[in-house]
Amino acid sequence: MSWGTTNTVKKDEPVKTGFGKDYYRGLFENNTAQSVPVRMALVAKENCAKTGLAVSIARQVRPKGKIIVVDVDNSAQATIEENYGDDKEITVLPLLDERDDSIYNDDSTINYANLIDKMNFYVNIIADKVNEGEDISAIVFDGGSTFLKWCEHAMTDVLLRRGVIKEEGDSFNQKEWRTRNQLFREVMTRLHGLSVPCVFFTFHLKDVSNYVDNGNGGKVLMKIGERPDWEKGTMRLFSQQIFLSRYMKKADAGAGVKSDPKLSEGDWVVKATLEEIKGKHMEFVGETYEILKVADGKVSWNGLPMLDWK
């Protein structure tokens, strides 16, 4: 079923794919796994160079070729202009675009279901361009956590389309939350499956809080940790997971900044911890590297030059 169409298959009617035994035998005999070495998640709080690191690694893998940045958070353009302004093969595609009438309702509110449809059409277009031979070296899906929230907002419209509810204010069964997860997983899975050497996904880190004893017999809500703000099971898509953190001399929990007493006052750094790597470069798992430093008002970039996949 294609996006924007209605499924008319009856409950007891067998699904007709139009592909038979001979078709799948041909795939079995001739289709081999393609080399897609990088399927990477970059996870961090704000201002930790997730987008910049993704493009940096992409250029280490393929110095040439088009890089498409799908800008969910509307924050990637500034990074690309400042750090990669001379690279004319980088295209930034904003999803939430004020010039796009298709994603707004008549009252100027956002139609999130149409926004999800738009992303799926973009994936189709990218897939077509790859099949037509266009040299696309990397996709950066910048804002996975925001996109998950969009899928949550789109649930009501999608359930209306499917006839699960009749009106916008109707309640629905708890199990219908699978609709959000399905919308999210379909986009993530299709991006992952593109015949492109590198696909990067950026996510935010989310604070985990719980009530703990305050020592006086009461309970207080305290932060007990952090976890990626993604749908459960998403991590299985990624061959590489890199977690980034910003450090200053004094910690600032509200801004997600950690403490490094060795830094001078006013200086700060971004460090990357390689949490998971499958295949090549797995010897670096668990290592932490300083990828960016700001000292005396000057920025120095180290990146992760050992991750080349050449």
Side-chain angles (χ1 to χ4, degrees):
M1 183 178 68
S2 61
W3 286 89
T5 62
T6 303
N7 188 355
T8 58
V9 177
K10 296 179 181 179
K11 184 175 181 180
D12 297 326
E13 182 180 343
V15 177
K16 299 176 182 177
T17 66
F19 303 104
K21 180 179 179 181
D22 290 341
Y23 172 82
Y24 289 111
R25 179 175 291 278
L27 285 182
F28 182 87
E29 297 293 346
N30 301 311
N31 197 18
T32 56
Q34 301 185 37
S35 178
V36 285
V38 181
R39 293 295 183 266
M40 183 180 293
L42 299 163
V43 186
K45 297 279 190 177
E46 294 290 343
N47 299 319
C48 287
K50 297 187 291 293
T51 308
L53 183 59
V55 176
S56 174
I57 294 174
R59 279 294 178 242
Q60 289 168 192
V61 178
R62 288 281 304 280
K64 297 294 182 181
K66 180 176 285 187
I67 296 175
I68 299 175
V69 181
V70 181
D71 191 4
V72 180
D73 287 327
N74 280 350
S75 59
Q77 185 66 40
T79 297
I80 300 303
E81 287 180 352
E82 176 65 23
N83 299 292
Y84 301 97
D86 295 333
D87 193 332
K88 303 305 180 185
E89 292 190 289
I90 301 177
T91 299
V92 179
L93 293 176
L95 281 186
L96 190 56
D97 188 347
E98 290 290 337
R99 301 165 296 178
D100 180 4
D101 292 335
S102 73
I103 60 174
Y104 293 97
N105 298 311
D106 292 338
D107 59 358
S108 297
T109 56
I110 299 169
N111 186 317
Y112 285 98
N114 284 0
L115 200 53
I116 305 304
D117 286 349
K118 178 180 178 179
M119 182 60 221
N120 277 280
F121 279 118
Y122 274 6
V123 177
N124 286 341
I125 293 168
I126 294 170
D128 287 343
K129 287 181 175 293
V130 172
N131 290 335
E132 291 163 2
E134 186 165 332
D135 185 16
I136 299 177
S137 61
I139 308 293
V140 181
F141 189 70
D142 194 16
S145 301
T146 300
F147 189 76
L148 178 61
K149 180 59 69 173
W150 288 0
C151 292
E152 180 179 327
H153 295 332
M155 282 176 56
T156 300
D157 286 338
V158 172
L159 294 176
L160 282 168
R161 288 180 184 177
R162 296 175 178 174
V164 176
I165 58 177
K166 300 299 183 183
E167 297 180 358
E168 189 170 329
D170 289 353
S171 60
F172 50 83
N173 194 295
Q174 182 70 22
K175 69 180 182 181
E176 298 305 337
W177 276 90
R178 63 189 177 186
T179 299
R180 180 203 70 163
N181 299 341
Q182 181 186 26
L183 294 171
F184 180 75
R185 286 175 183 170
E186 283 184 355
V187 171
M188 296 295 106
T189 302
R190 293 192 65 212
L191 285 168
H192 179 278
L194 289 171
S195 298
V196 174
C198 305
V199 182
F200 301 87
F201 305 81
T202 73
F203 294 93
H204 292 144
L205 266 179
K206 182 178 183 179
D207 291 341
V208 177
S209 300
N210 202 354
Y211 287 97
V212 298
D213 293 331
N214 63 2
N216 297 317
K219 299 282 188 178
V220 293
L221 187 64
M222 290 186 63
K223 174 181 173 180
I224 59 172
E226 297 174 333
R227 67 172 180 84
D229 190 7
W230 57 31
E231 192 270 324
K232 186 178 180 181
T234 306
M235 72 288 293
R236 299 188 186 99
L237 289 172
F238 311 126
S239 300
Q240 303 89 19
Q241 295 180 34
I242 298 179
F243 284 59
L244 301 105
S245 298
R246 188 154 57 103
Y247 291 80
M248 300 181 72
K249 189 175 185 63
K250 296 180 180 178
D252 183 347
V257 178
K258 299 180 180 180
S259 173
D260 185 345
K262 297 189 295 294
L263 292 172
S264 300
E265 199 70 40
D267 295 350
W268 57 275
V269 301
V270 175
K271 298 180 183 180
T273 300
L274 282 60
E275 292 286 350
E276 180 176 334
I277 298 180
K278 298 174 183 176
K280 187 176 182 181
H281 301 315
M282 65 186 302
E283 67 271 18
F284 297 115
V285 171
E287 299 292 334
T288 299
Y289 300 90
E290 184 180 291
I291 66 164
L292 179 149
K293 183 172 184 177
V294 177
D296 299 324
K298 296 181 180 179
V299 180
S300 57
W301 174 261
N302 298 320
L304 294 170
M306 75 291 287
L307 303 183
D308 55 19
W309 283 280
K310 290 181 179 177

